[in-house]
Amino acid sequence: MTHIPPPAEELRLLDAELWHLDARRAQLLTRRAWLVAALHQARPAPVAPPRPEAPAPRVQNVLLLLGGVLLTIAAMVFTLVSWGHLGIAGRAVVLGAVTLAALAAPAVLLKRGLRSTAESVAGLGLALTVLDAYALHEVALADADGTGYAAVASAVLAVLWAAYGLLPTTSDLRLPLPAALALAQLPLLLWSLAVDAVPYGVTAALLVTAGFDTGVALRVTAGSVRIAATVGAYGAGAWGVLAAGWLSLTATGPSAAARAAALLLLAAAIALGAAWRSQGEKRAVGLAVTAGLLTVAAFGGVARPVLPEAWTVPVHLACGIALLAAPRAGRLPDAVRHGFAWASGAVQALALLWALPVVGLAVLGPVGWAERAWTGTPSDARVAVALDAPWPQHAETVPVVLAAVAAVLVLAVRDGVWRPRALCGAWGLTWATVFVLPAVLELSYSTGLLVQGTLTAGALAAAVYVRRGEAVPGGTPARPFTPTQLTALVLALITSLSLTFLSLASQSATLTVLSASTVLFAAASWHSRLTPATAPAALAHAAALACATGAALDWQPSHTALLVLAVPVAAALPAARLGGSPATVPVEVTGAVAGLLAIGLALTDPPLLALVLALCGVVAAGTAIRPDRRPVGYAAAALFVLATWVRLAAWDVETPEAYTLPVTVPALLVGALHRRRDPQTSSWTAYGPGLAATLVPSLVAAWGDAHWSRPLLLGLAALLVTLLGARHHIQAPLLLGGSVLTLDALHELAPYLVQVTDALPRWVPPALAGLLLLALGATYEQRIRDVRRVREVLGKMN
């Protein structure tokens, strides 16, 4: 009988068998995937077909272009070479039939969708019409002028090509209309050359052609035609404008200048019309700028032959300023108004560029007096400014140009953003106008000094009384200087500097100018806003005045240094009262520079140099009293030490302790005070520099000293320092004093050691060294413990 297990047991068996089947299936699938991958790797990868380098449309276009070129060449060869082998009728029939066929074929090709082929054949037909015109001239019109015939033929062909491109059957062709427009560039130019027109006629032909191209570019919507018209307009217009400008520049009489101006106005009208009808904002503004500049060149060119050459730039400037009336005309587009404003600004900028050399020479020319101080008063202000430099020609109208632009900035600029900048520019131009007047008008030297002094005072007064500017947006405090104040201050400083150099021609002028400048800037320093700039300027002028006074009194430079020292004193006193003001640092820096100047002047006289250094140290020590200037005390100490050293050198003192003890004593006192305030300070920081400053140089001197007094005193001093270090458990004195004492003792015992060494037999030193090594080896562990104990003791010292 078949054994049938219970249902639960049978279900367990079935599940186990199914699990084994699933595991075997997964194993077989994994093996199958590996075999498939292996077979794919063994097969060669399919080679992709090479990508064509030239697509079919490109190949087609190239072939059609080459075919059209070859056919055109063949037609030219036929016309030029084989023409004589046929009769008149044959010639007409052959060339006419080929031309008509070439012109008619594109209509058929377009109907069949062969657009590229139609364009190629149409190009061949257009080229054949040119050959027809040439053949007609050679056969029937051989006696006609070639240039005139070319002008007529190009005009007729341009019309025919345009008509051909507009026919209903060929209107889809893109070649005829641009080709007709390109050919239309020639008729007027060739006609003007054929009639032997003057340069004005040739220029007019170019400009009329440019106007025609401009009109086409503005009215035609086809992209290819517009591009061709734009290129023609810019090309012909550029050549026409250059020719008209050259004619205006070389015109020698009013008639020639008027004709050149008419040409420039024609070009301006074309540019203005294009700007008026142009769609792009940037393009319209650019064209309007061009129109404005051409208008200025036209009217300025008319006036140039009539007026003196010095007025050429002012006349052009007046025309440029007149352009500013155009932006106020309500009928003009915004782009045109903006373009005229930019054109006016460009003319004014060019006028200022023309005037810049005169202003630069007036400002920088007096610097040359630094090498010729007090050599004599010049004859006039121009000689005083120019010296050996050539004065620019036709500079008589420079003040007119500067004043005119300044007036424009004040009256014409009303925009809220640009208005402050325009006012600053007007300030600068007004200053430049007055500044160059004495040299331009060749006024006397004293008048030039007076004008520059008045300018300095006026600029400072403007900086003091000008209306205070607005606060910075965002609620932050107002700026230290408003733009107008800053401009006035800069102009005052530049003028005073130029005035100082200009006054060097005369001794009395130098002293007067420096005195007045010092007082003027000192008075302006009472205005708190101006103090950061005016107080240093006053001190600088005071230092220069001190130098000039010493030179006027025939003092030696070292004696003049004592006068210059008054400037650091004058700087230190107000700096102490200014506190945290922005003017404190500039004033102190100026005083420090004046102190360095005094030191430099006294270098040739050691006794006075020592006095100057000591006085500078006193000023520095007084400054160091302030809590925020404590570090200046180090500079004061250094100055006192230097003064002492210089004084000792002047006395021919060669003992190094005389130089080192003045350093050691203050350094030890400062170190002791520092350790009292901060007991954690290391002894090396507090006492190390001071002790080393005397002990080390004295030790070096003692080793080279043959006498016994210096080593003895050094040894006693080192012993005292060592005992003090041991008594108070201070590491730096203990080690420094002990080291110096040991080296000093070795120096003193060295002769005796040498004698003992010479007296002993040669075997004694090696024997003693061996015994020492044996003793050390035997007590090695004890010596290690002793070294550690000494290190611990020293480590506990501060």
Side-chain angles (χ1 to χ4, degrees):
M1 295 178 63
T2 303
H3 174 71
I4 299 176
E9 181 65 19
E10 185 177 4
L11 181 59
R12 185 185 64 80
L13 294 174
L14 290 176
D15 289 340
E17 190 67 26
L18 289 174
W19 182 86
H20 286 294
L21 291 175
D22 290 339
R24 182 59 177 168
R25 175 180 175 82
Q27 182 181 3
L28 294 175
L29 288 175
T30 302
R31 179 62 178 173
R32 181 181 182 281
W34 182 85
L35 291 173
V36 171
L39 290 175
H40 278 294
Q41 291 179 358
R43 293 179 184 177
V47 180
R51 183 179 180 181
E53 296 182 357
R58 184 178 300 176
V59 175
Q60 176 186 2
N61 293 333
V62 172
L63 293 177
L64 292 175
L65 178 61
L66 291 176
V69 170
L70 292 175
L71 288 176
T72 303
I73 294 174
M76 292 175 61
V77 173
F78 171 75
T79 304
L80 299 175
V81 179
S82 302
W83 185 259
H85 300 290
L86 298 175
I88 296 176
R91 299 169 189 172
V93 169
V94 171
L95 199 54
V98 173
T99 303
L100 290 176
L103 294 175
V108 179
L109 295 172
L110 287 174
K111 289 182 179 180
R112 297 189 177 184
L114 302 175
R115 184 184 183 86
S116 299
T117 307
E119 295 283 356
S120 179
V121 176
L124 174 62
L126 299 180
L128 289 175
T129 57
V130 178
L131 295 177
D132 289 339
Y134 170 76
L136 179 62
H137 177 268
E138 292 296 322
V139 174
L141 303 173
D143 296 334
D145 178 65
T147 306
Y149 178 79
V152 175
S154 59
V156 173
L157 288 177
V159 173
L160 292 177
W161 290 3
Y164 179 73
L166 295 175
L167 291 176
T169 56
T170 56
S171 59
D172 292 338
L173 294 174
R174 288 179 290 183
L175 179 62
L177 291 179
L181 189 59
L183 192 60
Q185 310 300 309
L186 301 178
L188 287 179
L189 180 61
L190 294 176
W191 173 78
S192 63
L193 296 176
V195 298
D196 294 331
V198 293
Y200 296 94
V202 178
T203 304
L206 287 171
L207 292 176
V208 172
T209 303
F212 168 76
D213 294 333
T214 302
V216 173
L218 293 174
R219 292 182 176 275
V220 175
T221 58
S224 58
V225 179
R226 179 178 294 178
I227 292 174
T230 302
V231 172
Y234 280 110
W239 282 109
V241 167
L242 290 177
W246 177 255
L247 293 174
S248 178
L249 187 62
T250 57
T252 57
S255 176
R259 285 181 288 173
L263 294 174
L264 289 172
L265 289 176
L266 175 60
I270 295 172
L272 179 60
W276 201 303
R277 298 292 301 274
S278 182
Q279 300 296 328
E281 177 72 18
K282 294 183 179 179
R283 184 183 304 172
V285 171
L287 292 171
V289 170
T290 303
L293 294 177
L294 291 175
T295 304
V296 171
F299 287 104
V302 171
R304 185 185 58 81
V306 180
L307 298 175
E309 192 168 356
W311 288 93
T312 299
V313 174
V315 168
H316 284 80
L317 176 62
C319 297
I321 294 174
L323 285 177
L324 292 176
R328 303 184 184 278
R331 296 182 179 181
L332 292 177
D334 293 339
V336 175
R337 291 202 299 269
H338 293 162
F340 279 175
W342 280 106
S344 177
V347 174
Q348 296 176 56
L350 291 174
L352 292 179
L353 188 63
W354 171 78
L356 184 61
V358 177
V359 179
L361 185 59
V363 174
L364 301 177
V367 177
W369 284 107
E371 299 178 353
R372 309 178 184 183
W374 298 354
T375 56
T377 303
S379 58
D380 55 60
R382 180 178 296 183
V383 175
V385 166
L387 291 178
D388 296 331
W391 183 257
Q393 295 182 352
H394 313 299
E396 297 84 359
T397 55
V398 167
V400 177
V401 170
L402 297 172
V405 178
V408 170
L409 291 177
V410 173
L411 300 175
V413 181
R414 298 293 181 182
D415 183 74
V417 177
W418 289 96
R419 179 68 177 174
R421 304 174 188 176
L423 291 178
C424 293
W427 274 104
L429 292 175
T430 304
W431 167 84
T433 303
V434 180
F435 195 90
V436 301
L437 270 178
V440 171
L441 300 179
E442 295 184 280
L443 301 179
S444 64
Y445 171 70
S446 58
T447 304
L449 292 177
L450 181 61
V451 169
Q452 291 197 13
T454 306
L455 269 179
T456 304
L460 283 178
V464 171
Y465 296 107
V466 73
R467 182 177 61 88
R468 297 192 176 187
E470 303 82 8
V472 180
T476 56
R479 292 168 291 182
F481 298 119
T482 63
T484 307
Q485 280 183 325
L486 182 60
T487 302
L489 273 177
V490 171
L491 295 179
L493 294 174
I494 293 175
T495 310
S496 65
L497 186 61
S498 179
L499 176 61
T500 300
F501 282 109
L502 188 63
S503 67
L504 292 177
S506 170
Q507 176 178 317
S508 59
T510 302
L511 296 176
T512 303
V513 166
L514 290 175
S515 301
S517 299
T518 302
V519 173
L520 189 62
F521 280 100
S525 299
W526 288 101
H527 194 277
S528 59
R529 278 177 170 262
L530 305 183
T531 306
T534 55
L539 294 173
H541 283 90
L545 177 60
C547 294
T549 302
L553 296 175
D554 292 330
W555 286 4
Q556 295 295 327
S558 56
H559 293 82
T560 304
L562 297 176
L563 282 178
V564 177
L565 279 179
V567 177
V569 176
L573 294 177
R577 301 184 62 182
L578 289 173
S581 171
T584 304
V585 174
V587 168
E588 291 177 339
V589 170
T590 307
V593 173
L596 292 176
L597 176 61
I599 294 172
L601 291 173
L603 285 177
T604 56
D605 192 342
L608 276 177
L609 177 60
L611 178 59
V612 169
L613 288 170
L615 293 176
C616 289
V618 171
V619 175
T623 303
I625 296 175
R626 295 158 49 192
D628 57 336
R629 291 294 185 268
R630 297 297 188 200
V632 183
Y634 297 105
L639 289 170
F640 284 130
V641 170
L642 287 175
T644 305
W645 287 356
V646 172
R647 184 71 264 182
L648 292 173
W651 286 338
D652 295 330
V653 175
E654 298 179 357
T655 304
E657 289 78 10
Y659 296 89
T660 57
L661 286 176
V663 178
T664 296
V665 174
L668 292 178
L669 292 176
V670 172
L673 292 175
H674 189 54
R675 275 180 61 86
R676 177 174 295 182
R677 292 180 180 178
D678 185 10
Q680 300 300 323
T681 303
S682 172
S683 61
W684 290 101
T685 303
Y687 305 119
L691 292 174
T694 294
L695 292 177
V696 174
S698 298
L699 179 63
V700 174
W703 273 69
D705 195 347
H707 301 285
W708 59 271
S709 57
R710 184 190 301 274
L712 177 60
L713 294 176
L714 177 62
L716 293 176
L719 178 60
L720 178 61
V721 170
T722 304
L723 293 176
L724 289 175
R727 172 68 178 79
H728 296 284
H729 301 284
I730 304 175
Q731 189 179 105
L734 178 63
L735 294 182
L736 281 175
S739 300
V740 172
L741 180 61
T742 303
L743 293 174
D744 185 62
L746 288 175
H747 172 264
E748 292 302 308
L749 294 176
Y752 302 103
L753 293 177
V754 171
Q755 294 177 4
V756 171
T757 304
D758 292 338
L760 293 175
R762 297 296 179 92
W763 56 269
V764 174
L768 293 176
L771 292 174
L772 177 64
L773 292 176
L774 288 175
L776 290 175
T779 60
Y780 178 77
E781 294 183 359
Q782 182 62 34
R783 302 286 81 76
I784 291 297
R785 285 194 297 270
D786 294 341
V787 170
R788 288 176 180 174
R789 190 177 297 109
V790 171
R791 186 178 65 183
E792 292 175 358
V793 171
L794 290 176
K796 293 178 181 179
M797 295 183 181
N798 196 338

